[in-house]
Amino acid sequence: MSDNPIFTPEDRGWMRRALRIASKGYTHPNPMVGCVIVRDGRKIAEGFHPMAGQPHAEVFALRRAGDLARGATAYVSLEPCSHYGRTPPCTLALIQAGIRRVVVAMIDPNPKVSGKGVEELRKAGMQVDVGLCESESRKLNEAFLHFQTNRKPFVILKCAMTLDGKIATRTGDSKWITSESTRSYVHQLRARAGAILCGVGTVLADDPMLTPRPEPQYPRQPLRIVLDSRLRIPMQSSLVRTADQYPLIIAATAPLNDEKMRLLQDKGVEILPLDADNTGRVSLPALLRELGEREVTSLLVEGGAQVHSSFLSNQMANKIMLFVGAKIVGGTEAPSWVGGAGVERMRDAITLNKLNVKTLKEDILLEGYP
């Protein structure tokens, strides 16, 4: 029960396994958590939290371990909960199973849990060691951690662009910049997001669905949001036609066209009137506050150049994901992924921190934090 535990290479290997299986979950608004139970140097069971409302990682692992859990070590990628929510507390399950030692990657920042789970386990006589692979755990659940601290969604700007930074040709053709395998990767991102957002310009140009596909593969569909100050969205758009199946919010500003609003509401669309900013567009701070109240922990922005520019200029982008296809479009009239007036001096340019480059078969993913 040392406050400065010494972890072995074996400890680190098992915790990394817990983190890998945690990433399989589609858990919004919950964090992704994995658990590996080890006895005498051998894995006897593992489990992860698949989605909100289902048992947590520890419960799945303990069920599979059975009596072999007694005297074993549990490696958990986030502090076990000690309160009753949608499911019973995981601390109780660990105690009843007779686990001897619990290794925790990091303390859960949720006030309902923070430190209480570790304290309860130690009171029961368990050895609890905290802090193994903490940075990896923070990365895995960056959206959840941000929300617990700020009560606003973690905003990810996602865009597909060519090598010369274009999101379409000068005629507006954008299908397809990246490969099929990369688009499949993006559908996984969508399925893990609390909500997906685009502007009405994207709706008019591309008629998107904003759903992860193929649908049977994913256990949940995120909330869909369109920034549309004046309700210009077509009634025959894919978004409106599927509003009775997948939740759709149109964020607009007053005054609104009452007849168009009624027609949209009849289709199952929620109209969310919000304040306007100084350009007459929907106030992004007001939108994020509203989403925070609805416990939307992450927001995937798939907007056009103007929407991306608005989030960046308002300093409301927490992460940027640029999928770069190995293509060159050219043309001064072909749109780039960020619009607006831009900065006047290079010293005022937005800098990305913790830049990471991944190769996705035929394409490249650039990740960074403004």
Side-chain angles (χ1 to χ4, degrees):
M1 291 187 289
S2 170
D3 292 328
N4 297 296
I6 298 175
F7 297 112
T8 67
E10 288 75 18
D11 286 332
R12 192 169 301 277
W14 292 123
M15 183 60 79
R16 285 179 172 160
R17 174 63 188 173
L19 288 163
R20 281 196 300 274
I21 62 173
S23 66
K24 296 180 179 181
Y26 296 88
T27 59
H28 178 273
N30 292 351
M32 290 182 277
V33 183
C35 175
V36 177
I37 298 176
V38 176
R39 184 172 180 176
D40 298 327
R42 182 175 62 89
K43 183 186 76 173
I44 59 174
E46 65 183 25
F48 66 93
H49 181 41
M51 65 182 297
Q54 292 195 15
H56 291 184
E58 299 92 325
V59 173
F60 277 114
L62 290 170
R63 285 176 180 174
R64 290 165 183 153
D67 292 340
L68 292 175
R70 188 162 301 278
T73 296
Y75 295 85
V76 189
S77 61
L78 189 69
E79 178 182 16
C81 64
S82 57
H83 66 289
Y84 283 87
R86 292 186 178 95
T87 58
C90 294
T91 51
L92 180 61
L94 290 164
I95 293 168
Q96 291 177 340
I99 291 289
R100 178 185 63 82
R101 178 190 180 212
V102 180
V103 181
V104 178
M106 66 171 290
I107 297 296
D108 189 334
N110 184 343
K112 295 180 180 179
V113 182
S114 188
K116 300 181 181 70
V118 167
E119 181 182 2
E120 186 168 320
L121 293 174
R122 286 176 172 166
K123 282 183 178 178
M126 289 186 189
Q127 177 181 341
V128 184
D129 298 323
V130 181
L132 178 60
C133 300
E134 181 173 351
S135 60
E136 292 96 322
S137 179
R138 287 187 173 278
K139 170 71 173 176
L140 177 66
N141 283 307
E142 58 188 2
F144 174 79
L145 302 180
H146 174 88
F147 181 80
Q148 292 299 326
T149 302
N150 300 280
R151 306 309 295 179
K152 293 178 184 177
F154 182 82
V155 177
I156 303 171
L157 299 192
K158 168 261 164 187
C159 184
M161 68 177 190
T162 61
L163 287 171
D164 52 341
K166 307 298 185 179
I167 59 174
T169 67
R170 59 182 173 80
T171 64
D173 183 28
S174 61
K175 292 181 173 57
W176 296 103
I177 293 174
T178 55
S179 66
E180 185 176 349
S181 62
T182 296
R183 297 196 298 275
S184 177
Y185 182 92
V186 170
H187 283 298
Q188 294 180 40
L189 291 178
R190 285 180 172 184
R192 289 190 169 94
I196 304 173
L197 177 146
C198 74
V200 69
T202 297
V203 177
L204 295 172
D206 298 333
D207 191 27
M209 280 279 289
L210 300 184
T211 57
R213 297 183 294 276
E215 294 161 24
Q217 181 176 334
Y218 300 107
R220 61 174 298 276
Q221 293 285 331
L223 178 65
R224 303 178 298 170
I225 303 170
V226 177
L227 298 176
D228 185 7
S229 300
R230 297 289 175 258
L231 299 185
R232 293 191 293 143
I233 189 169
M235 294 299 298
Q236 291 304 312
S237 65
S238 296
L239 287 164
V240 173
R241 286 189 291 105
T242 57
D244 60 341
Q245 187 176 2
Y246 309 118
L248 173 63
I249 291 177
I250 295 182
T253 59
L256 293 173
N257 181 320
D258 290 340
E259 182 179 358
K260 182 69 174 285
M261 181 168 63
R262 179 181 58 77
L263 289 172
L264 288 168
Q265 289 173 332
D266 287 345
K267 291 288 187 179
V269 179
E270 178 184 352
I271 308 299
L272 179 62
L274 293 169
D275 293 336
D277 61 18
N278 56 12
T279 69
R281 298 185 175 91
V282 171
S283 166
L284 296 182
L287 174 62
L288 293 190
R289 284 195 298 270
E290 174 67 25
L291 294 179
E293 291 176 2
R294 298 181 184 216
E295 293 196 332
V296 175
T297 61
S298 63
L299 176 65
L300 184 64
V301 177
E302 298 192 9
Q306 184 56 57
V307 170
H308 291 151
S309 177
S310 296
F311 273 93
L312 289 170
S313 61
N314 280 278
Q315 298 183 339
M316 290 185 171
N318 302 111
K319 184 177 182 178
I320 293 175
M321 301 183 73
L322 299 176
F323 293 86
V324 185
K327 298 176 182 178
I328 298 173
V329 167
T332 56
E333 296 180 7
S336 300
W337 76 277
V338 180
V343 300
E344 294 182 1
R345 301 180 181 88
M346 189 58 68
R347 69 187 184 193
D348 298 325
I350 296 170
T351 301
L352 296 189
N353 300 309
K354 301 179 183 177
L355 186 64
N356 187 33
V357 181
K358 297 180 181 178
T359 301
L360 302 175
K361 293 186 179 179
E362 302 167 60
D363 306 309
I364 295 171
L365 169 59
L366 302 176
E367 290 182 302
Y369 301 82

